[in-house]
Amino acid sequence: MDKHFPEDLKYTKEHEWCSVADGVATIGITWHAQDALGDIVYCELPQAGEKVSAGEAFGVVESVKAVSDLYSPVTGEVVERNDAIMEKPEGLNEDMYGDGWMIRVKLSDTSELDALISKADYEAFLAEEEG
Amino acid sequence: MTEDLKKTPLHAQHVEAGGRMVPFAGFEMPVQYSGVVDEHKAVREAVGLFDVSHMGEVEFTGPRALEVVNRIITNDLDKIADGQAVYTVMCNEGGTIIDDLVVYRFSPERIFICVNAANRDKDFAWMKEQAGDDCEVKDVGDDYAQIAVQGPNAEQLVARLTSTDVASIGRYWFATGEVVDVDAIIARTGYTGEDGFELYVPAADAPKVWNALLEKGADLGVKPAGLGARDSLRLEVCYPLYGNDIDDTTNPYEAGLAWVVKLKKASDFVGKAALEQVKAEGPKRKLVGVELVGRGIARQHYPVLVNGEKVGEVTSGTMGPTVSKPVALAYVPAEHAAVGTEIQVEVRNKPVDAKVAPKPFLKK
């Protein structure tokens, strides 16, 4: 998939994306995250019922070469986990914004969403990081 | 990327091909181009090109060259012919490994050695010291570029670029000849578990050879491959990596390299007494294959546990793209080294069930 960052998503500087509907956030990793990692071969995610906290690690993705923590954009309880992507983690390289979603979290504090950044701000951040 | 990293003669080719450059052993090297899995599969199923010019080369020349080298390596150059190569280790007096090497016997008067990039200066200093005035020892690492052509289509590809009869070069034999119109050492060696060649060419001519291999190999599925694929390929077939699985705290017996130690060879060699003792007593720990039973990938430095106690450490670990499962090597005490032994690997502070697996993971 070519480099892209959908307009309707919110982003973090740890390279996760988040979309919110009815108080539930769907979370995944950005195009940049999967590109930096390369071929993703392993993914570990929390199951329904577990709690995640904004800014804290909630799981792990691994490429052939590297291990990378996943940081939650929001705080809340996991209501759904994408078991299919744990079974076939290469889907994170192929469709990171669609079939590659990771978990859905019932938000405990919607004001946290204000800390997430827009597509434009995320792209500016990437440009800055790349120098 | 810091300024003081060295570049191989093929640096421009890597950048142009979209290689992702990373620091490795003092060089800026491509870790991947199209992707580690894609490159790994190209080598297993077709043919891949690796720039391994970062590796060092040392040449011993003079009437006593063979004798001198035989004194510092554990394998035996008297047992091979001119035109043949051996894999070996070079040990210190304590019997631990200074480096692992491929030694090419041109003649008893000319021995050519390929050393690991990270060990180049250390090895050369040690070799000079050991040789004393008995023969000439020269670091020729800057003179040569090295291109590894690896995979089932490697023979066909190299044959297209040379008049040398490469089909007649046996495994671990070599010839000299022109590749394109460049003088080359054409060695049937490699570090992937596949058939293939390593071409040593003058540094300045490397781009010409590299470009020709890519051009003439298009219909054979040739792809440039990076350090990432090199590591996953070698780990599936359990070739040790210096700095991970072997170093100057490990001896060849515990590393599973007893086959390169020739205690009965005619010449004495550095480390022999210590190695005789290790052999007599049996190694206290062994480098074993590790397969996780639970989910996860064992990575370098993850603790290995038996009954909750740490008994060792993973030395290399990754996902094996061809075997489609995680593969790892670890040192464990000899009493826990039998294939099938139940162990655990601590993955991010959680013990995951594992077992000692037969080596290699991929049987060729």
Side-chain angles (χ1 to χ4, degrees):
Chain A
M1 178 174 285
D2 289 338
K3 181 171 180 169
H4 85 123
F5 304 101
E7 191 76 55
D8 56 344
L9 300 179
K10 293 289 189 185
Y11 297 89
T12 72
K13 290 182 177 179
E14 280 83 31
H15 311 291
E16 277 84 29
W17 59 261
C18 174
S19 75
V20 179
D22 302 327
V24 172
T26 301
I27 295 164
I29 57 171
T30 67
W31 181 91
H32 175 85
Q34 63 78 35
D35 181 62
L37 272 164
D39 295 313
I40 296 174
V41 293
Y42 183 77
C43 174
E44 200 170 279
L45 302 170
Q47 54 193 357
E50 288 188 49
K51 300 274 198 297
V52 297
S53 301
E56 288 184 17
F58 71 88
V60 155
V61 278
E62 301 192 29
S63 65
V64 181
K65 290 289 286 178
V67 181
S68 184
D69 282 325
L70 298 164
Y71 294 94
S72 182
V74 296
T75 301
E77 184 181 314
V78 178
V79 291
E80 198 180 350
R81 172 175 79 178
N82 187 352
D83 289 330
I85 210 66
M86 284 179 61
E87 288 306 311
K88 284 194 146 309
E90 61 268 28
L92 291 166
N93 294 115
E94 291 153 8
D95 188 11
M96 71 288 319
Y97 303 117
D99 290 344
W101 69 274
M102 292 177 155
I103 53 172
R104 296 196 214 280
V105 174
K106 187 169 171 23
L107 297 174
S108 51
D109 180 2
T110 50
S111 73
E112 282 175 352
L113 298 172
D114 299 339
L116 304 180
I117 59 179
S118 68
K119 163 192 163 81
D121 289 346
Y122 180 62
E123 282 176 328
F125 169 71
L126 286 180
E128 201 178 294
E129 259 205 332
E130 281 158 20
Chain B
M1 205 80 57
T2 52
E3 289 300 316
D4 52 3
L5 287 174
K6 288 186 275 187
K7 291 176 178 169
T8 76
L10 294 166
H11 187 271
Q13 278 67 32
H14 304 320
V15 172
E16 192 176 341
R20 190 170 289 178
M21 307 304 285
V22 299
F24 182 81
F27 283 82
E28 199 181 313
M29 297 296 291
V31 66
Q32 65 163 68
Y33 305 79
S34 55
V36 176
V37 173
D38 186 52
E39 294 160 28
H40 179 111
K41 288 183 173 164
V43 172
R44 290 270 182 256
E45 291 157 19
V47 57
L49 298 188
F50 299 86
D51 174 14
V52 281
S53 303
H54 59 308
M55 300 198 64
E57 291 87 14
V58 179
E59 199 160 51
F60 287 63
T61 50
R64 298 176 65 188
L66 184 146
E67 174 203 322
V68 172
V69 176
N70 241 358
R71 221 161 61 199
I72 60 178
I73 65 171
T74 59
N75 213 324
D76 188 1
L77 293 180
D78 277 329
K79 291 284 185 276
I80 62 167
D82 293 349
Q84 215 174 347
V86 282
Y87 174 73
T88 187
V89 294
M90 171 169 79
C91 289
N92 54 36
E93 287 292 355
T96 57
I97 303 170
I98 296 172
D99 200 1
D100 63 335
L101 317 166
V102 177
V103 180
Y104 298 86
R105 176 175 158 164
F106 280 83
S107 74
E109 293 80 41
R110 185 182 174 207
I111 308 293
F112 181 88
I113 301 181
C114 178
V115 308
N116 277 299
N119 294 336
R120 185 171 154 187
D121 294 342
K122 173 185 86 168
D123 286 2
F124 180 63
W126 173 261
M127 289 166 169
K128 279 287 270 190
E129 183 191 324
Q130 295 299 315
D133 296 328
D134 295 343
C135 75
E136 182 102 27
V137 184
K138 216 172 145 200
D139 180 343
V140 293
D142 290 340
D143 301 347
Y144 287 97
Q146 192 190 150
I147 300 170
V149 187
Q150 300 282 303
N153 294 344
E155 182 187 299
Q156 215 184 329
L157 174 54
V158 176
R160 288 178 182 179
L161 298 177
T162 181
S163 57
T164 303
D165 178 15
V166 294
S168 70
I169 302 173
R171 181 84 182 146
Y172 266 78
W173 287 74
F174 65 97
T176 52
E178 286 192 348
V179 174
V180 197
D181 57 353
V182 171
D183 286 328
I185 303 170
I186 306 167
R188 200 156 201 159
T189 49
Y191 189 56
T192 59
E194 295 301 320
D195 184 23
F197 295 85
E198 288 174 312
L199 308 175
Y200 296 86
V201 298
D205 297 319
K208 186 192 273 187
V209 176
W210 178 268
N211 292 341
L213 286 162
L214 284 177
E215 196 179 310
K216 300 286 181 190
D219 63 310
L220 297 173
V222 71
K223 280 189 180 165
L227 295 176
R230 192 168 162 79
D231 192 52
S232 56
L233 287 158
R234 68 95 193 167
L235 197 46
E236 283 186 334
V237 290
C238 293
Y239 292 172
L241 173 62
Y242 196 91
N244 281 37
D245 315 305
I246 52 175
D247 60 26
D248 60 10
T249 69
T250 60
N251 69 60
Y253 288 104
E254 60 194 15
L257 296 174
W259 64 279
V260 305
V261 183
K262 303 291 158 70
L263 291 173
K264 291 186 183 133
K265 71 175 167 177
S267 63
D268 194 12
F269 61 93
V270 182
K272 183 180 177 183
L275 289 169
E276 278 174 335
Q277 197 183 339
V278 174
K279 192 184 179 192
E281 291 172 359
K284 293 183 175 56
R285 56 177 185 171
K286 284 183 177 166
L287 186 65
V288 298
V290 174
E291 189 177 326
L292 293 196
V293 177
R295 284 191 96 240
I297 300 175
R299 301 279 184 179
Q300 190 182 18
H301 303 312
Y302 285 8
V304 174
L305 315 175
V306 171
N307 299 325
E309 295 287 315
K310 183 181 172 184
V311 298
E313 201 172 86
V314 173
T315 54
S316 291
T318 188
M319 174 62 82
T322 303
V323 297
S324 299
K325 62 181 182 189
V327 292
L329 296 173
Y331 278 106
V332 298
E335 64 266 32
H336 300 300
V339 169
T341 304
E342 289 179 9
I343 56 176
Q344 291 181 309
V345 175
E346 199 175 295
V347 180
R348 292 178 284 280
N349 302 319
K350 274 192 297 192
V352 175
D353 288 340
K355 62 183 183 195
V356 175
K359 292 195 289 184
F361 297 101
L362 179 68
K363 287 162 190 78
K364 296 299 292 181

